[in-house]
Amino acid sequence: MVQGNDTRPSEFLLLGFSEEPELQPFIFGIFLSMYLVSVLGNLLIILAVSSDCHLHTPMYFFLSNLSLVDIGFTSTTVPKMLWNIQTQSKAITYAGCITQMYFFVLFAGLDVFLLTVMAYDRFVAICHPLHYMVIMNPRLCGLLVLVSWIVCILNSLLESLVVLRLSFCPILDIPHFFCELKQVVQLACSDTFLNNMVMYFGVGLMGGCPLVGIIYSYSKIVSSIRAISSAEGKYKAFSTCASHLCIVSLFYGTSAGVYFSSAAAHTSHSIATASVMYTVVTPMLNPFIYSLRNKDIKRALKRLVGAVVIKRPIILGLKKCP
């Protein structure tokens, strides 16, 4: 079987959620609203952390990075879907599909790694509070984020490169609203054994290992909280990691739901609908979870909004904390 440029398609077709024209304006409105809320919410978190010197701590440094990644995560898939609905087209070019797939895998991996780093941060804060600032120093925090980016870039690059070697069948309909890696590989006419091995390796490295790290961190956190004598101390310790635990549960819960639903259901609409939970809904809810449960974030957001309302310039990094 010949592989290479001779069997490389010019475009794929993204089937999306529905073929019915009357539903397209409703789908467009829903996803546009969720996308704008997600981008605005995560952008406000980044600005609040940057503008308030009280939030220049490891926990909020990781949170602002998570918000930045979530903006990239949703921007990888939703704008293209909205454009296709607006232009009444389902096509995406071969290069566009590979690019979308690369950035989707990249940002999904970064989400998982940053959640793991944040779990480690909470582990150090609760289990080793006296040495927290020594252990979680700026150099280590920057190194953890840098390593996360490097590992995820290499993994995403590997996943994309093994797809480039494939030749594809004449039918190039993707039962999704974006170029999902597994769906693209299933369209290939050539041998996909290497692709499947790389995917399984990626799932184990980018999903399984971080999950083990998160579970281990929280097992130690629970042990430390149980050792606290006062109920008030237990509540205070638990409240510092409650928001992160909610986000971890939401991300892994929706991801597991997508996996099991795709294994049980064989319709394109059910798989695409289930994927919305972790690709769009979870990044949209993250800012709300942190802002509603965190007094520091609430205070910073109020100061930020107040500064914008009275048109007072915000100079980042120049104001010293009292």
Side-chain angles (χ1 to χ4, degrees), residues 168-232:
F168 291 89
C169 300
I171 300 178
L172 298 175
D173 296 343
I174 299 177
H176 228 307
F177 65 96
F178 66 95
C179 288
E180 199 266 336
L181 176 61
K182 184 178 179 181
Q183 299 290 341
V184 174
V185 171
Q186 288 177 348
L187 296 177
C189 291
S190 55
D191 182 31
T192 60
F193 176 79
L194 178 60
N195 297 79
N196 291 328
M197 290 298 100
V198 172
M199 276 194 291
Y200 292 141
F201 172 78
V203 170
L205 174 65
M206 311 300 291
C209 293
L211 180 60
V212 171
I214 292 174
I215 293 175
Y216 175 80
S217 296
Y218 273 101
S219 66
K220 293 296 184 180
I221 289 173
V222 171
S223 299
S224 297
I225 292 177
R226 291 180 60 185
I228 299 175
S229 56
S230 66
E232 182 181 356

Side-chain angles (χ1 to χ4, degrees), residues 2 27 50 56 70 92 185 198 274:
V2 180
I27 295 174
S50 301
H56 293 174
D70 281 340
I92 181 172
V185 171
V198 172

Side-chain angles (χ1 to χ4, degrees), residues 12-314:
F12 294 91
L13 295 180
L14 300 173
L15 299 183
F17 297 98
S18 175
E19 301 286 342
E20 301 178 13
E22 60 271 16
L23 289 179
Q24 299 306 309
F26 174 75
I27 295 174
F28 181 88
I30 290 293
F31 274 86
L32 177 61
S33 301
M34 289 194 295
Y35 177 68
L36 293 177
V37 170
S38 177
V39 172
L40 179 61
N42 284 289
L43 186 59
L44 283 175
I45 292 292
I46 295 173
L47 292 176
V49 172
S50 301
S51 61
D52 193 333
C53 52
H54 292 95
L55 301 184
H56 293 174
T57 63
M59 180 176 71
Y60 296 113
F61 170 72
F62 296 134
L63 176 60
S64 61
N65 276 274
L66 180 66
S67 295
L68 178 63
V69 168
D70 281 340
I71 291 175
F73 195 25
T74 54
S75 298
T76 299
T77 58
V78 177
K80 177 57 180 175
M81 185 194 70
L82 296 176
W83 175 257
N84 281 1
I85 294 176
Q86 188 68 20
T87 59
Q88 298 182 354
S89 171
K90 296 180 180 297
I92 181 172
T93 63
Y94 177 80
C97 186
I98 297 298
T99 301
Q100 188 182 69
M101 185 177 61
Y102 170 83
F103 282 105
F104 180 83
V105 174
L106 170 63
F107 289 123
L110 281 169
D111 250 345
V112 174
F113 268 57
L114 287 175
L115 289 175
T116 308
V117 169
M118 293 171 74
Y120 175 71
D121 172 74
R122 293 299 84 203
F123 159 72
V124 176
I126 295 175
C127 300
H128 306 282
L130 298 179
H131 301 91
Y132 176 71
M133 295 309 298
V134 176
I135 297 175
M136 300 303 297
N137 57 76
R139 181 179 179 182
L140 178 63
C141 294
L143 184 62
L144 288 173
V145 173
L146 178 62
V147 170
S148 299
W149 274 94
I150 292 174
V151 172
C152 293
I153 286 174
L154 293 177
N155 173 71
S156 184
L157 184 62
L158 177 61
E159 297 276 14
S160 301
L161 287 177
V162 294
V163 172
L164 291 176
R165 56 177 286 276
L166 296 175
S167 58
F168 291 89
C169 300
I171 300 178
L172 298 175
D173 296 343
I174 299 177
H176 228 307
F177 65 96
F178 66 95
C179 288
E180 199 266 336
L181 176 61
K182 184 178 179 181
Q183 299 290 341
V184 174
V185 171
Q186 288 177 348
L187 296 177
C189 291
S190 55
D191 182 31
T192 60
F193 176 79
L194 178 60
N195 297 79
N196 291 328
M197 290 298 100
V198 172
M199 276 194 291
Y200 292 141
F201 172 78
V203 170
L205 174 65
M206 311 300 291
C209 293
L211 180 60
V212 171
I214 292 174
I215 293 175
Y216 175 80
S217 296
Y218 273 101
S219 66
K220 293 296 184 180
I221 289 173
V222 171
S223 299
S224 297
I225 292 177
R226 291 180 60 185
I228 299 175
S229 56
S230 66
E232 182 181 356
K234 290 181 178 180
Y235 175 78
K236 185 177 180 180
F238 178 76
S239 63
T240 62
C241 58
S243 297
H244 175 259
L245 187 59
C246 288
I247 292 177
V248 169
S249 302
L250 185 64
F251 184 86
Y252 274 97
T254 53
S255 299
V258 169
Y259 174 79
F260 289 116
S261 65
S262 62
H266 300 286
T267 62
S268 60
H269 298 322
S270 61
I271 296 174
T273 302
S275 299
V276 173
M277 289 303 297
Y278 78 96
T279 57
V280 183
V281 175
T282 300
M284 180 184 67
L285 293 180
N286 286 353
F288 292 98
I289 293 174
Y290 262 95
S291 60
L292 292 177
R293 295 189 57 89
N294 193 293
K295 294 180 180 179
D296 294 332
I297 291 290
K298 285 183 181 178
R299 185 187 69 249
L301 288 174
K302 288 179 180 178
R303 292 178 59 186
L304 180 65
V305 173
V308 173
V309 170
I310 64 177
K311 298 181 180 180
R312 184 174 60 199
I314 302 173

